[in-house]
Amino acid sequence: MRYELMLPHQIRRAIEENWPVALPLGVLEYHGEHMAVGMDTLAVIKMLELFEKERDIVILPPFYYGAASYAVAPPEGSGSLQIGGPVLAPFAEELFYGLLRIGFRNIHAIIHHQTENFVAGMPTDLAFKTAGRQAIFRFLEKERGEGWWGSDEMADYYAGHAQGENVFNWVQVHPLMPAAMSGKYPFDHAGIGETSLMLALCPEAVDAGHFADNTGWYTKGAPEASAELGQKGVAMILEHLRTTLSA
């Protein structure tokens, strides 16, 4: 369900049944002359909408204002909008803390931007990962007091970890395309992979009439894109979400 459309009794049900709460996290960035600047975020939104047809999930309003960087193109006339990580982290902490206060314990931010090195991290996902940890610590200290971890009630902390119980899993950040997709689907920027994904998920975000206007090396494969290839990527991403967004 879209969070902004939920009534309080629906929110209480989602909390009681531990529904996944998903934040589409992304940027506004130049993706060649043929594709919309919101591609990274749109891919997450559209995939979550497909996933919602299979399982109960809360979809938060998307956050487009991540750290796009100007690595691909300068902003003038290209549309790239850069908001730095140091600014993002305080916002993200307040967001996650607020969601924990509401009662959610199964919170996930899903990102498709600079995730080829997700383990090492890039500015946007690092800001939200750090914010998630900070929000959890802050919430636990408010609810349980200082010294919560050292109290007798936490004596089974490590045993709980072995059983999959971990308070630090209350807020997680994931890539839309996991490392397992490497070599099975093209990972690129505005090339055949991303363009195909948009043709499958959001065709109005692609204008084939502007393929010839591209000059960047990274867009050379775009004219070979197809909705059929995109659907293969959609199927792999859905399988990833089924595993990641569990109740």
Side-chain angles (χ1 to χ4, degrees), residues 138-159:
R138 179 176 158 196
F139 178 78
L140 288 169
E141 289 176 6
K142 175 185 180 296
E143 294 295 307
R144 304 181 185 181
E146 294 180 351
W148 64 270
W149 187 86
S151 67
D152 290 341
E153 288 80 4
M154 296 299 295
D156 60 350
Y157 176 76
Y158 291 112

Side-chain angles (χ1 to χ4, degrees), residues 12-239:
R12 289 190 289 270
R13 179 188 169 199
I15 292 168
E16 181 180 351
E17 297 179 3
N18 200 35
W19 292 12
V21 176
L23 170 69
L25 175 59
V27 300
L28 296 166
E29 181 186 31
Y30 181 71
H31 276 76
E33 296 296 311
H34 68 286
M35 196 151 58
V37 294
M39 183 274 155
D40 287 338
T41 320
L42 287 167
V44 180
I45 295 167
K46 297 299 182 180
M47 286 304 312
L48 288 173
E49 288 175 349
L50 289 176
F51 181 77
E52 185 186 17
K53 296 177 181 179
E54 299 183 4
R55 297 186 185 177
D56 291 324
I57 184 175
V58 177
I59 302 176
L60 294 169
F63 185 80
Y64 279 90
Y65 303 104
S69 86
Y70 301 135
V72 174
E76 290 79 10
S78 76
S80 291
L81 185 61
Q82 161 68 9
I83 310 295
V87 177
L88 296 175
F91 163 81
E93 181 180 336
E94 294 302 321
L95 172 62
F96 290 142
Y97 182 73
L99 292 169
L100 290 169
R101 284 287 307 271
I102 290 167
F104 295 121
R105 301 289 185 270
N106 193 7
I107 304 164
H108 305 264
I110 311 294
I111 183 171
H112 180 67
H113 173 67
Q114 298 179 335
T115 56
E116 64 271 26
N117 297 304
F118 192 75
V119 174
M122 285 291 189
T124 303
D125 58 87
L126 284 174
F128 277 76
K129 287 176 186 175
T130 301
R133 290 292 181 265
Q134 290 294 113
I136 291 169
F137 272 113
R138 179 176 158 196
F139 178 78
L140 288 169
E141 289 176 6
K142 175 185 180 296
E143 294 295 307
R144 304 181 185 181
E146 294 180 351
W148 64 270
W149 187 86
S151 67
D152 290 341
E153 288 80 4
M154 296 299 295
D156 60 350
Y157 176 76
Y158 291 112
H161 270 230
Q163 298 169 10
E165 300 170 2
N166 183 354
V167 295
F168 294 103
N169 285 339
W170 288 352
V171 180
Q172 301 180 61
V173 182
H174 313 278
L176 183 69
M177 295 174 63
M181 285 182 63
S182 178
K184 300 177 183 178
Y185 186 85
F187 192 100
D188 56 32
H189 179 81
I192 185 173
E194 286 196 338
T195 305
S196 293
L197 201 59
M198 278 292 94
L199 286 172
L201 291 171
C202 187
E204 63 269 31
V206 179
D207 187 344
H210 286 277
F211 283 145
D213 298 332
N214 287 318
T215 58
W217 61 268
Y218 48 88
T219 59
K220 287 184 179 179
E224 282 73 56
S226 68
E228 291 73 21
L229 175 60
Q231 287 296 345
K232 293 180 180 179
V234 167
M236 286 185 270
I237 294 169
L238 269 177
E239 190 58 37

